[in-house]
Amino acid sequence: MIADEVTQESTHMITTVLFDFDGTLVDSESLHFQCWNDILAPYGIAYDEVEFCQRYSGRPTLASAKEVVTQHNLAISAEALAQQKNDQFAKVAATSLPRLMPYALEILQHCREDGFKIGLVTGSTRDEVMPILHGYELAEYFACVVTKDDVSEPKPAPQPYLLGLSLLGANAQQSLAIEDTHTGSMSAKSAGLRVAVVPNTHTLTQDFSHADGRFANLADLYQQLLQIRK
């Protein structure tokens, strides 16, 4: 439960909810996988979706690119390969929106109605994120959107969440991060936030021992948040 490691008094003080994006609000992992396979096809490389997502979900694009380049001895820099992948995702997402995760829209509506400050902290680029936010008319829910473009040290470093807190004028101890991966949850935890995780199919076996709560879906998480906020 979210309240397991904090006092009942302190849980009353939750004022801010910071959401991850890929795999938390949007079921985009398959789309990321498709884009990776599209740009790797000219090199004769094709990955299995389950294996690839379990290995790379939540990891920074550049880190994934470095591993792919090294593993296959590709004649391209990791930076160039990562840029190709980001460009491909932005292009595909602009015309083929990935589906929302279960209860994603509902939890955003509830958070706004119940007076929480809401931010988005993602490891994706702004070009990858904004077409989806606008496509589903979600941008209006967020008082701030922090992307990989806004920081020098992306997740799992704490910098993205620290920036989000700064932009919202929020205190880490009064804030909750909602994540789906080990990488993202470590970023939030390192920034001092409480962390609730909702693993997806590709991240079920990742290590979340550091998280303050683990939930089957966003609806279950929000019900618990309301109970401890009373």
Side-chain angles (χ1 to χ4, degrees):
M1 310 296 274
I2 297 171
D4 282 349
E5 298 180 8
V6 293
T7 65
Q8 186 67 16
E9 180 181 358
S10 68
T11 60
H12 293 175
M13 298 169 60
I14 294 176
T15 61
T16 304
V17 182
L18 294 169
F19 289 88
D20 173 51
F21 190 62
D22 296 298
T24 298
L25 292 176
V26 181
D27 187 12
S28 52
E29 296 300 344
S30 293
L31 188 57
H32 281 288
F33 164 75
Q34 174 190 328
C35 292
W36 273 114
N37 263 6
D38 287 345
I39 66 166
L40 291 175
Y43 300 97
I45 301 170
Y47 281 95
D48 171 77
E49 180 173 357
V50 173
E51 176 188 1
F52 187 86
C53 290
Q54 287 180 344
R55 186 171 184 176
Y56 294 108
S57 287
R59 294 182 60 183
T61 304
L62 181 57
S64 300
K66 287 179 178 177
E67 187 168 321
V68 170
V69 167
T70 299
Q71 179 182 357
H72 297 281
N73 195 27
L74 301 183
I76 183 175
S77 70
E79 291 76 10
L81 187 65
Q83 187 61 54
Q84 286 185 13
K85 186 270 173 184
N86 291 338
D87 292 344
Q88 179 68 4
F89 186 91
K91 176 182 176 181
V92 174
T95 57
S96 179
L97 292 175
R99 66 182 180 179
L100 295 177
M101 297 297 289
Y103 309 108
L105 181 57
E106 289 86 347
I107 194 172
L108 290 174
Q109 291 172 337
H110 288 316
C111 282
R112 182 168 65 180
E113 292 167 1
D114 291 328
F116 289 101
K117 294 180 182 178
I118 312 172
L120 187 72
V121 179
T122 175
S124 292
T125 65
R126 193 164 294 271
D127 286 344
E128 291 174 310
V129 172
M130 297 313 295
I132 303 174
L133 290 182
H134 291 312
Y136 282 115
E137 298 183 347
L138 298 181
E140 64 186 71
Y141 288 96
F142 301 105
C144 77
V145 175
V146 176
T147 73
K148 184 173 66 175
D149 301 325
D150 302 314
V151 296
S152 58
E153 298 180 21
K155 300 177 184 179
Q159 190 178 41
Y161 276 101
L162 292 174
L163 177 57
L165 292 172
S166 176
L167 292 172
L168 292 173
N171 185 302
Q173 295 177 344
Q174 296 176 324
S175 303
L176 175 71
I178 301 178
E179 281 279 357
D180 70 299
T181 68
H182 174 81
T183 297
S185 56
M186 285 300 299
S187 173
K189 198 66 175 177
S190 297
L193 286 79
R194 273 165 281 177
V195 181
V197 296
V198 183
N200 58 53
T201 303
H202 302 303
T203 63
L204 283 171
T205 61
Q206 292 187 8
D207 177 17
F208 296 114
S209 58
H210 54 279
D212 299 292
R214 176 172 177 153
F215 300 87
N217 55 59
L218 291 171
D220 288 350
L221 186 160
Y222 198 70
Q223 286 303 310
Q224 175 65 14
L225 177 59
L226 290 181
Q227 289 178 22
I228 67 173
R229 197 189 191 208
K230 293 177 180 177

